[in-house]
């Protein structure tokens, strides 16, 4: 009987590993598509838009709208159809009991970690620049900065509302859920790293990856993308107001300018406070075992699941394509 059970377990182990490798292949296809989409979709949607209106002098609103549509529409459709079977089969673990304020602790700790990831990125770039004369890191939003209050409103709408909703659907729902059957740790690591690479620039790599890992943890704990979408939007609002509102209101009436300067000061101060609190809240998260995930595959350990994923040829190609193109 024990021998029969052992043979049965070996077969199921092999079956689970094969299923994970097939799923990893789908992730490889998804990563390759994300890169191709970011490369060619803007031109495709620009050509489509040209049938309905002139594209010679696109307004700031039209430019950002086309950018948002090209960045999110096709990926959401493809990811849904690519992973629809796995998402339908996904049964969330109801055993997690987040402590009061856990989402805020994770968000703040993640924001702090992300800020220091950005500082580390700038330090690495400084060293490389001194050695090889590569120059400063290009600003991720170079050329897109709002020049007045109207443009700032449009910019904030897309960055603080559209982007968080679309990215949480893409990364914390469509890309996170399918892998949870093979362990939450595997799902969090893969979705977080792909989220960082998806941003496609060295300026945001460390920040986006670390914040993506924390966002994925919140999504796993709450079995929902609603809390993490709110946190993502809050993060973008603070960063956008602190970094772009001041320049956008430079030519505004004095009364409006005074209000904007207060908002910039509040957001800058709030960012600094959250960064300071993040150290202590990270310790609380570790003490409360926020990063210990209960959901694991019955037949594959976390290490075996990660090893199976990263050894799948299509997944390797997908990671290399994302990494190579974002380095350019």
């Amino acid at each position: 009987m024990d021998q029969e059970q052992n043979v049965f377990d070996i077969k199921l182990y092999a079956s689970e590993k094969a299923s994970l490798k097939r799923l990893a292949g789908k992730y490889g296809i998804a990563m390759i598509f994300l890169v191709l989409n970011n490369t060619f979709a803007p031109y495709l949607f620009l050509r489509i838009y040209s049938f309905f209106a002139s594209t010679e002098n696109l307004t700031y609103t039209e430019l950002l709208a086309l950018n948002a549509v090209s960045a999110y529409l096709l990926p959401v459709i493809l990811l849904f159809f690519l992973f629809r079977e796995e998402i339908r089969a996904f049964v969330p673990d109801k055993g997690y009991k987040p402590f009061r304020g856990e989402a805020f602790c994770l968000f703040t700790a993640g924001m702090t970690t992300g800020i220091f990831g950005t500082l580390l990125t700038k330090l690495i770039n400084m060293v490389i620049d001194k050695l090889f004369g590569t120059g400063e890191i290009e600003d991720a939003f170079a050329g897109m900065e709002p020049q007045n209050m109207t443009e700032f409103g449009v910019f904030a709408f897309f960055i603080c509302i559209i982007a968080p909703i679309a990215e949480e659907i893409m990364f914390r729902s469509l890309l996170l859920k399918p892998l949870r059957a093979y362990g939450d740790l595997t799902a969090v690591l893969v979705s977080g790293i792909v989220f960082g690479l998806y941003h496609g620039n060295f300026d945001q790599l460390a920040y986006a990856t670390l914040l993506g890992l924390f966002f994925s943890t919140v999504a796993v704990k709450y079995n929902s993308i609603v809390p993490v979408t709110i946190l993502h939007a809050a993060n973008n609002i603070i960063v956008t107001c602190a970094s772009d509102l001041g320049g956008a209101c430079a030519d505004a009436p004095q009364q409006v300018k005074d209000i904007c300067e207060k908002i910039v000061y509040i957001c800058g101060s709030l960012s600094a406070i959250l960064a300071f609190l993040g150290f202590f809240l990270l310790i609380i998260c570790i003490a409360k075992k926020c990063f210990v995930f209960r959901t694991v595959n019955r037949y594959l350990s976390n290490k075996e699941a990660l090893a199976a994923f990263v050894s799948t040829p299509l997944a390797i190609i997908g990671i290399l394509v994302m990494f190579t193109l974002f380095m350019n």
Side-chain angles (χ1 to χ4, degrees):
M1 185 68 180
D2 289 341
Q3 188 174 1
E4 290 179 1
Q5 182 66 35
N6 201 29
V7 171
F8 180 70
D9 286 340
I10 291 173
K11 288 182 178 179
L12 281 178
Y13 171 83
S15 175
E16 287 293 289
K17 191 171 182 178
S19 297
L20 175 54
K21 281 187 165 291
R22 283 194 296 272
L23 181 59
K26 288 187 178 183
Y27 273 79
I29 293 171
M31 286 185 274
I32 294 169
F33 177 83
L34 288 174
V35 172
L36 293 175
N37 181 78
N38 285 354
T39 304
F40 298 109
Y43 303 103
L44 171 64
F45 281 94
L46 189 63
R47 293 299 297 271
I48 294 173
Y49 186 77
S50 67
F51 284 103
F52 303 96
S54 173
T55 58
E56 291 183 4
N57 295 299
L58 287 173
T59 65
Y60 189 77
T61 302
E62 290 172 329
L63 185 63
L64 288 185
L66 281 173
N67 183 67
V69 170
S70 63
Y72 302 125
L73 181 60
L74 291 181
V76 167
I77 294 172
L78 174 89
L79 293 177
F80 172 77
F81 283 103
L82 193 61
F83 297 113
R84 65 187 184 279
E85 293 181 3
E86 290 84 0
I87 292 172
R88 287 171 184 167
F90 169 70
V91 179
D93 184 344
K94 300 294 185 180
Y96 289 118
K97 293 182 179 179
F99 63 86
R100 187 180 298 274
E102 181 181 71
F104 174 76
C105 289
L106 284 166
F107 164 70
T108 307
M111 190 172 180
T112 300
T113 309
I115 289 171
F116 280 92
T118 300
L119 293 176
L120 178 61
T121 299
K122 293 185 184 299
L123 178 62
I124 293 171
N125 177 254
M126 188 185 303
V127 173
I128 295 175
D129 182 34
K130 290 290 183 182
L131 293 174
F132 305 104
T134 55
E136 294 185 5
I137 301 174
E138 183 181 353
D139 188 339
F141 293 103
M144 296 178 60
E145 300 91 342
Q147 301 301 312
N148 53 56
M149 291 303 296
T150 302
E151 289 188 359
F152 178 80
V154 175
F155 183 77
F157 173 74
F158 284 105
I159 297 298
C160 303
I161 298 177
I162 299 299
I165 293 173
E167 289 179 0
E168 292 312 315
I169 291 173
M170 286 171 59
F171 293 97
R172 256 65 69 177
S173 182
L174 299 177
L175 276 174
L176 179 71
K177 284 182 181 178
L179 266 178
R180 290 189 63 184
Y182 302 95
D184 283 339
L185 178 61
T186 302
V188 166
L189 289 174
V190 171
S191 63
I193 292 171
V194 174
F195 180 68
L197 292 174
Y198 173 77
H199 281 71
N201 59 81
F202 190 61
D203 182 30
Q204 291 179 297
L205 176 62
Y207 177 81
T209 300
L210 291 169
L211 209 54
L213 293 173
F214 278 85
F215 283 162
S216 295
T217 301
V218 174
V220 163
K221 296 287 187 180
Y222 288 84
N223 283 312
S224 170
I225 65 169
V226 174
V228 75
T229 302
I230 295 171
L231 294 179
H232 193 160
N235 175 76
N236 287 12
I237 289 170
I238 294 171
V239 173
T240 300
C241 288
S243 60
D244 294 296
L245 182 56
C249 72
D251 296 328
Q254 189 60 45
Q255 188 175 6
V256 175
K257 190 175 180 179
D258 291 341
I259 294 173
C260 291
E261 288 176 351
K262 289 180 181 179
I263 294 174
V264 172
Y265 176 77
I266 291 170
C267 288
S269 300
L270 183 59
S271 179
I273 291 170
L274 290 175
F276 177 75
L277 283 176
F279 279 114
F280 303 100
L281 296 181
L282 181 59
I283 294 172
I284 291 175
C285 288
I286 295 172
K288 290 282 189 176
K289 298 182 179 180
C290 293
F291 307 109
V292 176
F293 301 103
R294 292 180 54 187
T295 302
V296 294
N297 188 271
R298 180 179 175 184
Y299 297 98
L300 297 172
S301 67
N302 286 321
K303 289 182 179 179
E304 289 172 322
L306 284 170
F309 186 94
V310 299
S311 63
T312 302
L314 264 177
I316 295 171
I317 293 171
I319 293 170
L320 289 176
V321 168
M322 290 196 87
F323 187 78
T324 303
L325 290 189
F326 101 86
M327 285 295 288
N328 292 333

